[in-house]
Amino acid sequence: MRTTRNRILALRQSSLFDSNKKSKNPGSHFNQIRWGQRILQLAIQLTPLAVILLVWEVGAGAFNIPPFIEPTLVGKPSAIVQEVWQLLSSGSIFQHIFVTFQEAMTGLALAMIGGISLGIVLAYSPSGAKITLPYVQIFNSLPRIALAPFFIVWFGIGLLSKVLLAALAAFFPIFFTTYQGLQSIERELVSAFQIMGANRWQMLYMVVLPSVLSWVIAGTRTSLGMALVGALVAEYIGSTQGLGYLLMSAQGTLNVDKAWAILVVLAFISVLLDWGVRVLEAYVLRWRPNPREL
C-alpha cells in the first residue's frame, strides 16, 4: 500500500516538475526571439553603412584597384579609422571634447530654463502670446551661422560666446514643444480635477506636469543636437580649443581624414548623449503604458 502511495506521489512530483519546466521554456524562447529580432534589425540598419564604406574604400584605391574617387578630397575609411585611433590614443582630443561638451550642456541648460519658462508664461497668457510669438518666429528664422560672427565680436572668443550661441540654437525647440504641450492639455481633464476640488498645486502636479513632461523631453532631445551644432559653429568661427577648433585646423591644413575622424567622434558623442536622454525619459515616464503592450 505504501509503495503504491509513494509511486503516486512520485508521479505527481514529476508531473509538476515537467509542467514548471514547460512553463519556463516559453519565456526563454520568447527572449531568444526578441534577441534574434534585435540582431536582425541591427544588421539591417548597418547594412547600408557597410555598403557605403566598402564602396568608398574600394573607390579610394583599396585592394590594388585603380581609384575612381580622389582620396585627398574625400578621404578613405581605413585612414579615418587610423586618425580616430591616433586622436584617442594620444589623449589630445579629450580636452577639446570636454570644452565642447561644457559649452553645449551649459547652453542647453540655459535654453531649458528660458524655453520652459517662456512657454509656460505664454501658454497661460493668450494676450502675451499674440504679442511675443511673432518675434519668436522671426528670431527662429534667422540662421545661427550668420549670428555666430556677431556673438564672437560682442562676447569675445572665450566660453561666453559659445554658450550663448548654443543656448540660442537650443532655445526654440524646447520653447515650442513646451508651449504646444501646454496647449494640448485636455480641458475636460482640467475641468474634472477642478470639480473634484483640486487646488492650483495639485493641478500642476497631477495634470500639467505629466501632460507636458513628454513634450519637454522630446524638445530636449532635439535641442541637444542643436546645442552641439551651436557650440561647434561658434568654435569654428573663432576659438582656440574645442572640437570646432580642431575641425577648422584639420580643414585648414587639408587633412581630410582627420576632419572626418573629428566628425566621427562628434557623431559618437551625439549618439551617446541621445541614448542618455532616452534612458532618462524611460525612467521619468515609466508610469506611461508601453505601446507594445497595448
Side-chain angles (χ1 to χ4, degrees):
M1 190 73 179
R2 286 184 178 177
T3 57
T4 305
R5 188 176 298 173
N6 291 335
R7 288 178 181 176
I8 294 173
L9 290 174
L11 288 172
R12 288 180 179 177
Q13 290 177 354
S14 63
S15 63
L16 287 173
F17 177 77
D18 292 337
S19 62
N20 290 332
K21 189 175 181 181
K22 290 179 180 179
S23 63
K24 292 179 181 178
N25 285 335
S28 61
H29 182 64
F30 179 72
N31 291 331
Q32 291 177 357
I33 292 175
R34 288 184 61 185
W35 277 107
Q37 291 176 347
R38 290 179 180 178
I39 293 172
L40 179 61
Q41 182 180 4
L42 182 62
I44 293 173
Q45 290 175 341
L46 294 178
T47 298
L49 178 62
V51 172
I52 292 172
L53 292 177
L54 179 61
V55 173
W56 186 0
E57 183 73 18
V58 172
F63 310 113
N64 296 323
I65 297 175
F68 56 86
I69 299 175
E70 183 57 47
T72 58
L73 296 179
V74 298
K76 192 176 181 180
S78 58
I80 294 170
V81 172
Q82 292 177 0
E83 288 288 346
V84 171
W85 174 251
Q86 289 179 3
L87 288 171
L88 296 178
S89 60
S90 64
S92 60
I93 196 173
F94 292 109
Q95 178 62 29
H96 297 281
I97 290 174
F98 174 76
V99 171
T100 303
F101 180 81
Q102 181 184 14
E103 294 165 354
M105 292 303 102
T106 307
L108 179 64
L110 292 177
M112 291 181 66
I113 295 172
I116 293 173
S117 300
L118 185 62
I120 293 173
V121 170
L122 296 187
Y124 287 98
S125 176
S127 58
K130 290 180 181 179
I131 298 172
T132 308
L133 282 179
Y135 293 100
V136 175
Q137 294 284 358
I138 291 172
F139 280 107
N140 186 34
S141 64
L142 297 177
R144 311 298 181 265
I145 191 170
L147 296 175
F150 293 101
F151 277 68
I152 298 297
V153 172
W154 295 337
F155 305 106
I157 62 172
L159 180 67
L160 182 59
S161 59
K162 283 75 173 177
V163 169
L164 292 179
L165 190 61
L168 180 65
F171 169 81
F172 296 101
I174 293 178
F175 164 73
F176 284 117
T177 51
T178 303
Y179 180 76
Q180 186 64 33
L182 290 170
Q183 291 290 318
S184 64
I185 295 177
E186 297 180 3
R187 302 303 173 189
E188 294 81 4
L189 183 62
V190 175
S191 301
F193 272 83
Q194 289 175 345
I195 292 173
M196 290 186 290
N199 57 34
R200 182 174 297 179
W201 291 106
Q202 289 174 334
M203 290 286 296
L204 178 65
Y205 178 73
M206 292 186 291
V207 179
V208 176
L209 285 180
S211 299
V212 79
L213 196 56
S214 60
W215 289 81
V216 172
I217 294 177
T220 302
R221 290 185 63 182
T222 305
S223 296
L224 186 61
M226 299 299 293
L228 282 172
V229 171
L232 284 171
V233 168
E235 290 174 353
Y236 197 88
I237 297 297
S239 65
T240 57
Q241 52 186 348
L243 292 178
Y245 167 73
L246 282 184
L247 184 61
M248 179 190 63
S249 301
Q251 292 178 346
T253 58
L254 299 180
N255 193 340
V256 180
D257 295 322
K258 186 175 181 180
W260 276 112
I262 296 168
L263 292 177
V264 168
V265 172
L266 180 64
F268 178 77
I269 294 172
S270 179
V271 170
L272 189 63
L273 290 175
D274 183 74
W275 174 80
V277 174
R278 285 190 285 111
V279 171
L280 179 63
E281 179 183 11
Y283 176 75
V284 173
L285 302 178
R286 59 188 182 277
W287 50 269
R288 292 191 309 179
N290 191 351
R292 297 178 181 177
E293 297 176 357
L294 295 178

mmCIF file with all atom_site columns, all heavy atoms in Angstrom, residues 70-94:
data_model
loop_
_atom_site.group_PDB
_atom_site.id
_atom_site.type_symbol
_atom_site.label_atom_id
_atom_site.label_alt_id
_atom_site.label_comp_id
_atom_site.label_asym_id
_atom_site.label_entity_id
_atom_site.label_seq_id
_atom_site.pdbx_PDB_ins_code
_atom_site.Cartn_x
_atom_site.Cartn_y
_atom_site.Cartn_z
_atom_site.occupancy
_atom_site.B_iso_or_equiv
_atom_site.pdbx_formal_charge
_atom_site.auth_seq_id
_atom_site.auth_comp_id
_atom_site.auth_asym_id
_atom_site.auth_atom_id
_atom_site.pdbx_PDB_model_num
ATOM 1   N N   . GLU A 1 70 ? 38.953 60.401 -55.544 1.00 0.00 ? 70 GLU A N   1
ATOM 2   C CA  . GLU A 1 70 ? 40.206 61.022 -55.129 1.00 0.00 ? 70 GLU A CA  1
ATOM 3   C C   . GLU A 1 70 ? 40.314 61.020 -53.598 1.00 0.00 ? 70 GLU A C   1
ATOM 4   O O   . GLU A 1 70 ? 39.549 61.725 -52.923 1.00 0.00 ? 70 GLU A O   1
ATOM 5   C CB  . GLU A 1 70 ? 40.290 62.455 -55.652 1.00 0.00 ? 70 GLU A CB  1
ATOM 6   C CG  . GLU A 1 70 ? 41.581 63.167 -55.326 1.00 0.00 ? 70 GLU A CG  1
ATOM 7   C CD  . GLU A 1 70 ? 42.805 62.423 -55.832 1.00 0.00 ? 70 GLU A CD  1
ATOM 8   O OE1 . GLU A 1 70 ? 42.806 61.993 -57.007 1.00 0.00 ? 70 GLU A OE1 1
ATOM 9   O OE2 . GLU A 1 70 ? 43.752 62.261 -55.044 1.00 0.00 ? 70 GLU A OE2 1
ATOM 10  N N   . PRO A 1 71 ? 41.246 60.235 -53.017 1.00 0.00 ? 71 PRO A N   1
ATOM 11  C CA  . PRO A 1 71 ? 41.329 60.149 -51.545 1.00 0.00 ? 71 PRO A CA  1
ATOM 12  C C   . PRO A 1 71 ? 41.695 61.463 -50.884 1.00 0.00 ? 71 PRO A C   1
ATOM 13  O O   . PRO A 1 71 ? 41.290 61.719 -49.741 1.00 0.00 ? 71 PRO A O   1
ATOM 14  C CB  . PRO A 1 71 ? 42.417 59.090 -51.317 1.00 0.00 ? 71 PRO A CB  1
ATOM 15  C CG  . PRO A 1 71 ? 42.526 58.343 -52.605 1.00 0.00 ? 71 PRO A CG  1
ATOM 16  C CD  . PRO A 1 71 ? 42.185 59.325 -53.677 1.00 0.00 ? 71 PRO A CD  1
ATOM 17  N N   . THR A 1 72 ? 42.469 62.304 -51.568 1.00 0.00 ? 72 THR A N   1
ATOM 18  C CA  . THR A 1 72 ? 42.869 63.567 -50.953 1.00 0.00 ? 72 THR A CA  1
ATOM 19  C C   . THR A 1 72 ? 41.715 64.546 -50.820 1.00 0.00 ? 72 THR A C   1
ATOM 20  O O   . THR A 1 72 ? 41.807 65.510 -50.041 1.00 0.00 ? 72 THR A O   1
ATOM 21  C CB  . THR A 1 72 ? 43.980 64.222 -51.791 1.00 0.00 ? 72 THR A CB  1
ATOM 22  O OG1 . THR A 1 72 ? 43.513 64.424 -53.134 1.00 0.00 ? 72 THR A OG1 1
ATOM 23  C CG2 . THR A 1 72 ? 45.226 63.366 -51.799 1.00 0.00 ? 72 THR A CG2 1
ATOM 24  N N   . LEU A 1 73 ? 40.619 64.290 -51.542 1.00 0.00 ? 73 LEU A N   1
ATOM 25  C CA  . LEU A 1 73 ? 39.464 65.181 -51.480 1.00 0.00 ? 73 LEU A CA  1
ATOM 26  C C   . LEU A 1 73 ? 38.367 64.652 -50.571 1.00 0.00 ? 73 LEU A C   1
ATOM 27  O O   . LEU A 1 73 ? 37.696 65.440 -49.895 1.00 0.00 ? 73 LEU A O   1
ATOM 28  C CB  . LEU A 1 73 ? 38.892 65.406 -52.892 1.00 0.00 ? 73 LEU A CB  1
ATOM 29  C CG  . LEU A 1 73 ? 39.809 66.118 -53.890 1.00 0.00 ? 73 LEU A CG  1
ATOM 30  C CD1 . LEU A 1 73 ? 39.123 66.237 -55.242 1.00 0.00 ? 73 LEU A CD1 1
ATOM 31  C CD2 . LEU A 1 73 ? 40.216 67.493 -53.379 1.00 0.00 ? 73 LEU A CD2 1
ATOM 32  N N   . VAL A 1 74 ? 38.165 63.348 -50.558 1.00 0.00 ? 74 VAL A N   1
ATOM 33  C CA  . VAL A 1 74 ? 37.059 62.770 -49.786 1.00 0.00 ? 74 VAL A CA  1
ATOM 34  C C   . VAL A 1 74 ? 37.534 61.855 -48.671 1.00 0.00 ? 74 VAL A C   1
ATOM 35  O O   . VAL A 1 74 ? 36.719 61.365 -47.880 1.00 0.00 ? 74 VAL A O   1
ATOM 36  C CB  . VAL A 1 74 ? 36.098 61.991 -50.706 1.00 0.00 ? 74 VAL A CB  1
ATOM 37  C CG1 . VAL A 1 74 ? 35.464 62.921 -51.725 1.00 0.00 ? 74 VAL A CG1 1
ATOM 38  C CG2 . VAL A 1 74 ? 36.811 60.843 -51.407 1.00 0.00 ? 74 VAL A CG2 1
ATOM 39  N N   . GLY A 1 75 ? 38.838 61.594 -48.576 1.00 0.00 ? 75 GLY A N   1
ATOM 40  C CA  . GLY A 1 75 ? 39.341 60.732 -47.520 1.00 0.00 ? 75 GLY A CA  1
ATOM 41  C C   . GLY A 1 75 ? 39.209 59.259 -47.854 1.00 0.00 ? 75 GLY A C   1
ATOM 42  O O   . GLY A 1 75 ? 38.812 58.874 -48.962 1.00 0.00 ? 75 GLY A O   1
ATOM 43  N N   . LYS A 1 76 ? 39.537 58.431 -46.853 1.00 0.00 ? 76 LYS A N   1
ATOM 44  C CA  . LYS A 1 76 ? 39.495 56.983 -47.013 1.00 0.00 ? 76 LYS A CA  1
ATOM 45  C C   . LYS A 1 76 ? 39.094 56.363 -45.674 1.00 0.00 ? 76 LYS A C   1
ATOM 46  O O   . LYS A 1 76 ? 39.651 56.738 -44.640 1.00 0.00 ? 76 LYS A O   1
ATOM 47  C CB  . LYS A 1 76 ? 40.877 56.482 -47.451 1.00 0.00 ? 76 LYS A CB  1
ATOM 48  C CG  . LYS A 1 76 ? 40.912 55.053 -47.916 1.00 0.00 ? 76 LYS A CG  1
ATOM 49  C CD  . LYS A 1 76 ? 42.319 54.711 -48.422 1.00 0.00 ? 76 LYS A CD  1
ATOM 50  C CE  . LYS A 1 76 ? 42.379 53.274 -48.928 1.00 0.00 ? 76 LYS A CE  1
ATOM 51  N NZ  . LYS A 1 76 ? 43.740 52.925 -49.416 1.00 0.00 ? 76 LYS A NZ  1
ATOM 52  N N   . PRO A 1 77 ? 38.105 55.463 -45.647 1.00 0.00 ? 77 PRO A N   1
ATOM 53  C CA  . PRO A 1 77 ? 37.632 54.921 -44.369 1.00 0.00 ? 77 PRO A CA  1
ATOM 54  C C   . PRO A 1 77 ? 38.727 54.320 -43.497 1.00 0.00 ? 77 PRO A C   1
ATOM 55  O O   . PRO A 1 77 ? 38.747 54.542 -42.277 1.00 0.00 ? 77 PRO A O   1
ATOM 56  C CB  . PRO A 1 77 ? 36.616 53.864 -44.804 1.00 0.00 ? 77 PRO A CB  1
ATOM 57  C CG  . PRO A 1 77 ? 36.109 54.351 -46.117 1.00 0.00 ? 77 PRO A CG  1
ATOM 58  C CD  . PRO A 1 77 ? 37.287 55.005 -46.779 1.00 0.00 ? 77 PRO A CD  1
ATOM 59  N N   . SER A 1 78 ? 39.645 53.553 -44.083 1.00 0.00 ? 78 SER A N   1
ATOM 60  C CA  . SER A 1 78 ? 40.714 52.960 -43.270 1.00 0.00 ? 78 SER A CA  1
ATOM 61  C C   . SER A 1 78 ? 41.615 54.029 -42.671 1.00 0.00 ? 78 SER A C   1
ATOM 62  O O   . SER A 1 78 ? 42.035 53.943 -41.500 1.00 0.00 ? 78 SER A O   1
ATOM 63  C CB  . SER A 1 78 ? 41.536 52.003 -44.124 1.00 0.00 ? 78 SER A CB  1
ATOM 64  O OG  . SER A 1 78 ? 42.098 52.669 -45.259 1.00 0.00 ? 78 SER A OG  1
ATOM 65  N N   . ALA A 1 79 ? 41.910 55.087 -43.438 1.00 0.00 ? 79 ALA A N   1
ATOM 66  C CA  . ALA A 1 79 ? 42.726 56.182 -42.915 1.00 0.00 ? 79 ALA A CA  1
ATOM 67  C C   . ALA A 1 79 ? 41.974 56.965 -41.842 1.00 0.00 ? 79 ALA A C   1
ATOM 68  O O   . ALA A 1 79 ? 42.575 57.440 -40.866 1.00 0.00 ? 79 ALA A O   1
ATOM 69  C CB  . ALA A 1 79 ? 43.142 57.113 -44.048 1.00 0.00 ? 79 ALA A CB  1
ATOM 70  N N   . ILE A 1 80 ? 40.661 57.076 -41.988 1.00 0.00 ? 80 ILE A N   1
ATOM 71  C CA  . ILE A 1 80 ? 39.849 57.771 -40.978 1.00 0.00 ? 80 ILE A CA  1
ATOM 72  C C   . ILE A 1 80 ? 39.871 57.000 -39.665 1.00 0.00 ? 80 ILE A C   1
ATOM 73  O O   . ILE A 1 80 ? 39.991 57.593 -38.579 1.00 0.00 ? 80 ILE A O   1
ATOM 74  C CB  . ILE A 1 80 ? 38.406 57.953 -41.496 1.00 0.00 ? 80 ILE A CB  1
ATOM 75  C CG1 . ILE A 1 80 ? 38.391 58.900 -42.697 1.00 0.00 ? 80 ILE A CG1 1
ATOM 76  C CG2 . ILE A 1 80 ? 37.503 58.492 -40.392 1.00 0.00 ? 80 ILE A CG2 1
ATOM 77  C CD1 . ILE A 1 80 ? 37.065 58.953 -43.413 1.00 0.00 ? 80 ILE A CD1 1
ATOM 78  N N   . VAL A 1 81 ? 39.770 55.673 -39.742 1.00 0.00 ? 81 VAL A N   1
ATOM 79  C CA  . VAL A 1 81 ? 39.843 54.850 -38.528 1.00 0.00 ? 81 VAL A CA  1
ATOM 80  C C   . VAL A 1 81 ? 41.197 55.026 -37.846 1.00 0.00 ? 81 VAL A C   1
ATOM 81  O O   . VAL A 1 81 ? 41.286 55.122 -36.602 1.00 0.00 ? 81 VAL A O   1
ATOM 82  C CB  . VAL A 1 81 ? 39.582 53.369 -38.877 1.00 0.00 ? 81 VAL A CB  1
ATOM 83  C CG1 . VAL A 1 81 ? 39.845 52.477 -37.670 1.00 0.00 ? 81 VAL A CG1 1
ATOM 84  C CG2 . VAL A 1 81 ? 38.154 53.183 -39.367 1.00 0.00 ? 81 VAL A CG2 1
ATOM 85  N N   . GLN A 1 82 ? 42.270 55.072 -38.626 1.00 0.00 ? 82 GLN A N   1
ATOM 86  C CA  . GLN A 1 82 ? 43.595 55.303 -38.050 1.00 0.00 ? 82 GLN A CA  1
ATOM 87  C C   . GLN A 1 82 ? 43.686 56.671 -37.369 1.00 0.00 ? 82 GLN A C   1
ATOM 88  O O   . GLN A 1 82 ? 44.282 56.798 -36.283 1.00 0.00 ? 82 GLN A O   1
ATOM 89  C CB  . GLN A 1 82 ? 44.659 55.190 -39.139 1.00 0.00 ? 82 GLN A CB  1
ATOM 90  C CG  . GLN A 1 82 ? 44.831 53.779 -39.690 1.00 0.00 ? 82 GLN A CG  1
ATOM 91  C CD  . GLN A 1 82 ? 45.851 53.725 -40.823 1.00 0.00 ? 82 GLN A CD  1
ATOM 92  O OE1 . GLN A 1 82 ? 46.425 54.738 -41.200 1.00 0.00 ? 82 GLN A OE1 1
ATOM 93  N NE2 . GLN A 1 82 ? 46.054 52.529 -41.360 1.00 0.00 ? 82 GLN A NE2 1
ATOM 94  N N   . GLU A 1 83 ? 43.088 57.679 -37.977 1.00 0.00 ? 83 GLU A N   1
ATOM 95  C CA  . GLU A 1 83 ? 43.096 59.012 -37.369 1.00 0.00 ? 83 GLU A CA  1
ATOM 96  C C   . GLU A 1 83 ? 42.298 59.025 -36.064 1.00 0.00 ? 83 GLU A C   1
ATOM 97  O O   . GLU A 1 83 ? 42.711 59.662 -35.082 1.00 0.00 ? 83 GLU A O   1
ATOM 98  C CB  . GLU A 1 83 ? 42.513 60.039 -38.344 1.00 0.00 ? 83 GLU A CB  1
ATOM 99  C CG  . GLU A 1 83 ? 43.399 60.368 -39.524 1.00 0.00 ? 83 GLU A CG  1
ATOM 100 C CD  . GLU A 1 83 ? 44.604 61.207 -39.125 1.00 0.00 ? 83 GLU A CD  1
ATOM 101 O OE1 . GLU A 1 83 ? 44.624 61.752 -37.997 1.00 0.00 ? 83 GLU A OE1 1
ATOM 102 O OE2 . GLU A 1 83 ? 45.534 61.320 -39.941 1.00 0.00 ? 83 GLU A OE2 1
ATOM 103 N N   . VAL A 1 84 ? 41.159 58.344 -36.045 1.00 0.00 ? 84 VAL A N   1
ATOM 104 C CA  . VAL A 1 84 ? 40.373 58.256 -34.807 1.00 0.00 ? 84 VAL A CA  1
ATOM 105 C C   . VAL A 1 84 ? 41.191 57.583 -33.710 1.00 0.00 ? 84 VAL A C   1
ATOM 106 O O   . VAL A 1 84 ? 41.212 58.040 -32.556 1.00 0.00 ? 84 VAL A O   1
ATOM 107 C CB  . VAL A 1 84 ? 39.055 57.497 -35.058 1.00 0.00 ? 84 VAL A CB  1
ATOM 108 C CG1 . VAL A 1 84 ? 38.340 57.215 -33.741 1.00 0.00 ? 84 VAL A CG1 1
ATOM 109 C CG2 . VAL A 1 84 ? 38.142 58.274 -35.986 1.00 0.00 ? 84 VAL A CG2 1
ATOM 110 N N   . TRP A 1 85 ? 41.865 56.509 -34.049 1.00 0.00 ? 85 TRP A N   1
ATOM 111 C CA  . TRP A 1 85 ? 42.681 55.804 -33.072 1.00 0.00 ? 85 TRP A CA  1
ATOM 112 C C   . TRP A 1 85 ? 43.822 56.682 -32.555 1.00 0.00 ? 85 TRP A C   1
ATOM 113 O O   . TRP A 1 85 ? 44.117 56.689 -31.357 1.00 0.00 ? 85 TRP A O   1
ATOM 114 C CB  . TRP A 1 85 ? 43.233 54.525 -33.681 1.00 0.00 ? 85 TRP A CB  1
ATOM 115 C CG  . TRP A 1 85 ? 44.206 53.816 -32.777 1.00 0.00 ? 85 TRP A CG  1
ATOM 116 C CD1 . TRP A 1 85 ? 45.554 53.697 -32.938 1.00 0.00 ? 85 TRP A CD1 1
ATOM 117 C CD2 . TRP A 1 85 ? 43.892 53.134 -31.559 1.00 0.00 ? 85 TRP A CD2 1
ATOM 118 N NE1 . TRP A 1 85 ? 46.111 52.991 -31.905 1.00 0.00 ? 85 TRP A NE1 1
ATOM 119 C CE2 . TRP A 1 85 ? 45.101 52.632 -31.040 1.00 0.00 ? 85 TRP A CE2 1
ATOM 120 C CE3 . TRP A 1 85 ? 42.711 52.904 -30.867 1.00 0.00 ? 85 TRP A CE3 1
ATOM 121 C CZ2 . TRP A 1 85 ? 45.161 51.910 -29.852 1.00 0.00 ? 85 TRP A CZ2 1
ATOM 122 C CZ3 . TRP A 1 85 ? 42.768 52.197 -29.673 1.00 0.00 ? 85 TRP A CZ3 1
ATOM 123 C CH2 . TRP A 1 85 ? 43.974 51.704 -29.187 1.00 0.00 ? 85 TRP A CH2 1
ATOM 124 N N   . GLN A 1 86 ? 44.457 57.431 -33.440 1.00 0.00 ? 86 GLN A N   1
ATOM 125 C CA  . GLN A 1 86 ? 45.536 58.316 -33.014 1.00 0.00 ? 86 GLN A CA  1
ATOM 126 C C   . GLN A 1 86 ? 45.028 59.422 -32.097 1.00 0.00 ? 86 GLN A C   1
ATOM 127 O O   . GLN A 1 86 ? 45.674 59.769 -31.098 1.00 0.00 ? 86 GLN A O   1
ATOM 128 C CB  . GLN A 1 86 ? 46.222 58.927 -34.239 1.00 0.00 ? 86 GLN A CB  1
ATOM 129 C CG  . GLN A 1 86 ? 47.068 57.937 -35.039 1.00 0.00 ? 86 GLN A CG  1
ATOM 130 C CD  . GLN A 1 86 ? 47.707 58.574 -36.257 1.00 0.00 ? 86 GLN A CD  1
ATOM 131 O OE1 . GLN A 1 86 ? 47.566 59.781 -36.480 1.00 0.00 ? 86 GLN A OE1 1
ATOM 132 N NE2 . GLN A 1 86 ? 48.410 57.774 -37.052 1.00 0.00 ? 86 GLN A NE2 1
ATOM 133 N N   . LEU A 1 87 ? 43.848 59.979 -32.410 1.00 0.00 ? 87 LEU A N   1
ATOM 134 C CA  . LEU A 1 87 ? 43.298 61.028 -31.564 1.00 0.00 ? 87 LEU A CA  1
ATOM 135 C C   . LEU A 1 87 ? 42.964 60.503 -30.170 1.00 0.00 ? 87 LEU A C   1
ATOM 136 O O   . LEU A 1 87 ? 43.204 61.175 -29.157 1.00 0.00 ? 87 LEU A O   1
ATOM 137 C CB  . LEU A 1 87 ? 42.040 61.616 -32.213 1.00 0.00 ? 87 LEU A CB  1
ATOM 138 C CG  . LEU A 1 87 ? 42.236 62.488 -33.453 1.00 0.00 ? 87 LEU A CG  1
ATOM 139 C CD1 . LEU A 1 87 ? 40.897 62.816 -34.091 1.00 0.00 ? 87 LEU A CD1 1
ATOM 140 C CD2 . LEU A 1 87 ? 42.967 63.776 -33.087 1.00 0.00 ? 87 LEU A CD2 1
ATOM 141 N N   . LEU A 1 88 ? 42.399 59.294 -30.117 1.00 0.00 ? 88 LEU A N   1
ATOM 142 C CA  . LEU A 1 88 ? 42.005 58.728 -28.828 1.00 0.00 ? 88 LEU A CA  1
ATOM 143 C C   . LEU A 1 88 ? 43.204 58.212 -28.040 1.00 0.00 ? 88 LEU A C   1
ATOM 144 O O   . LEU A 1 88 ? 43.276 58.384 -26.814 1.00 0.00 ? 88 LEU A O   1
ATOM 145 C CB  . LEU A 1 88 ? 40.991 57.603 -29.043 1.00 0.00 ? 88 LEU A CB  1
ATOM 146 C CG  . LEU A 1 88 ? 39.648 58.012 -29.667 1.00 0.00 ? 88 LEU A CG  1
ATOM 147 C CD1 . LEU A 1 88 ? 38.766 56.789 -29.868 1.00 0.00 ? 88 LEU A CD1 1
ATOM 148 C CD2 . LEU A 1 88 ? 38.935 59.041 -28.801 1.00 0.00 ? 88 LEU A CD2 1
ATOM 149 N N   . SER A 1 89 ? 44.147 57.584 -28.726 1.00 0.00 ? 89 SER A N   1
ATOM 150 C CA  . SER A 1 89 ? 45.301 57.013 -28.027 1.00 0.00 ? 89 SER A CA  1
ATOM 151 C C   . SER A 1 89 ? 46.249 58.093 -27.500 1.00 0.00 ? 89 SER A C   1
ATOM 152 O O   . SER A 1 89 ? 46.837 57.950 -26.422 1.00 0.00 ? 89 SER A O   1
ATOM 153 C CB  . SER A 1 89 ? 46.066 56.066 -28.956 1.00 0.00 ? 89 SER A CB  1
ATOM 154 O OG  . SER A 1 89 ? 46.525 56.761 -30.117 1.00 0.00 ? 89 SER A OG  1
ATOM 155 N N   . SER A 1 90 ? 46.387 59.180 -28.241 1.00 0.00 ? 90 SER A N   1
ATOM 156 C CA  . SER A 1 90 ? 47.261 60.262 -27.772 1.00 0.00 ? 90 SER A CA  1
ATOM 157 C C   . SER A 1 90 ? 46.623 61.058 -26.642 1.00 0.00 ? 90 SER A C   1
ATOM 158 O O   . SER A 1 90 ? 47.326 61.704 -25.856 1.00 0.00 ? 90 SER A O   1
ATOM 159 C CB  . SER A 1 90 ? 47.599 61.195 -28.940 1.00 0.00 ? 90 SER A CB  1
ATOM 160 O OG  . SER A 1 90 ? 46.437 61.836 -29.432 1.00 0.00 ? 90 SER A OG  1
ATOM 161 N N   . GLY A 1 91 ? 45.294 61.041 -26.553 1.00 0.00 ? 91 GLY A N   1
ATOM 162 C CA  . GLY A 1 91 ? 44.593 61.769 -25.499 1.00 0.00 ? 91 GLY A CA  1
ATOM 163 C C   . GLY A 1 91 ? 44.453 63.252 -25.755 1.00 0.00 ? 91 GLY A C   1
ATOM 164 O O   . GLY A 1 91 ? 43.892 63.974 -24.914 1.00 0.00 ? 91 GLY A O   1
ATOM 165 N N   . SER A 1 92 ? 44.916 63.725 -26.896 1.00 0.00 ? 92 SER A N   1
ATOM 166 C CA  . SER A 1 92 ? 44.863 65.161 -27.174 1.00 0.00 ? 92 SER A CA  1
ATOM 167 C C   . SER A 1 92 ? 43.450 65.661 -27.419 1.00 0.00 ? 92 SER A C   1
ATOM 168 O O   . SER A 1 92 ? 43.168 66.861 -27.249 1.00 0.00 ? 92 SER A O   1
ATOM 169 C CB  . SER A 1 92 ? 45.736 65.486 -28.390 1.00 0.00 ? 92 SER A CB  1
ATOM 170 O OG  . SER A 1 92 ? 45.266 64.783 -29.543 1.00 0.00 ? 92 SER A OG  1
ATOM 171 N N   . ILE A 1 93 ? 42.552 64.764 -27.797 1.00 0.00 ? 93 ILE A N   1
ATOM 172 C CA  . ILE A 1 93 ? 41.206 65.200 -28.157 1.00 0.00 ? 93 ILE A CA  1
ATOM 173 C C   . ILE A 1 93 ? 40.290 65.347 -26.946 1.00 0.00 ? 93 ILE A C   1
ATOM 174 O O   . ILE A 1 93 ? 39.271 66.042 -26.999 1.00 0.00 ? 93 ILE A O   1
ATOM 175 C CB  . ILE A 1 93 ? 40.584 64.218 -29.175 1.00 0.00 ? 93 ILE A CB  1
ATOM 176 C CG1 . ILE A 1 93 ? 39.365 64.857 -29.853 1.00 0.00 ? 93 ILE A CG1 1
ATOM 177 C CG2 . ILE A 1 93 ? 40.210 62.906 -28.494 1.00 0.00 ? 93 ILE A CG2 1
ATOM 178 C CD1 . ILE A 1 93 ? 38.793 64.033 -30.968 1.00 0.00 ? 93 ILE A CD1 1
ATOM 179 N N   . PHE A 1 94 ? 40.635 64.723 -25.828 1.00 0.00 ? 94 PHE A N   1
ATOM 180 C CA  . PHE A 1 94 ? 39.715 64.701 -24.691 1.00 0.00 ? 94 PHE A CA  1
ATOM 181 C C   . PHE A 1 94 ? 39.512 66.090 -24.085 1.00 0.00 ? 94 PHE A C   1
ATOM 182 O O   . PHE A 1 94 ? 38.407 66.416 -23.641 1.00 0.00 ? 94 PHE A O   1
ATOM 183 C CB  . PHE A 1 94 ? 40.218 63.720 -23.640 1.00 0.00 ? 94 PHE A CB  1
ATOM 184 C CG  . PHE A 1 94 ? 40.155 62.292 -24.084 1.00 0.00 ? 94 PHE A CG  1
ATOM 185 C CD1 . PHE A 1 94 ? 41.306 61.579 -24.369 1.00 0.00 ? 94 PHE A CD1 1
ATOM 186 C CD2 . PHE A 1 94 ? 38.942 61.652 -24.233 1.00 0.00 ? 94 PHE A CD2 1
ATOM 187 C CE1 . PHE A 1 94 ? 41.248 60.270 -24.788 1.00 0.00 ? 94 PHE A CE1 1
ATOM 188 C CE2 . PHE A 1 94 ? 38.860 60.339 -24.648 1.00 0.00 ? 94 PHE A CE2 1
ATOM 189 C CZ  . PHE A 1 94 ? 40.026 59.645 -24.934 1.00 0.00 ? 94 PHE A CZ  1
#
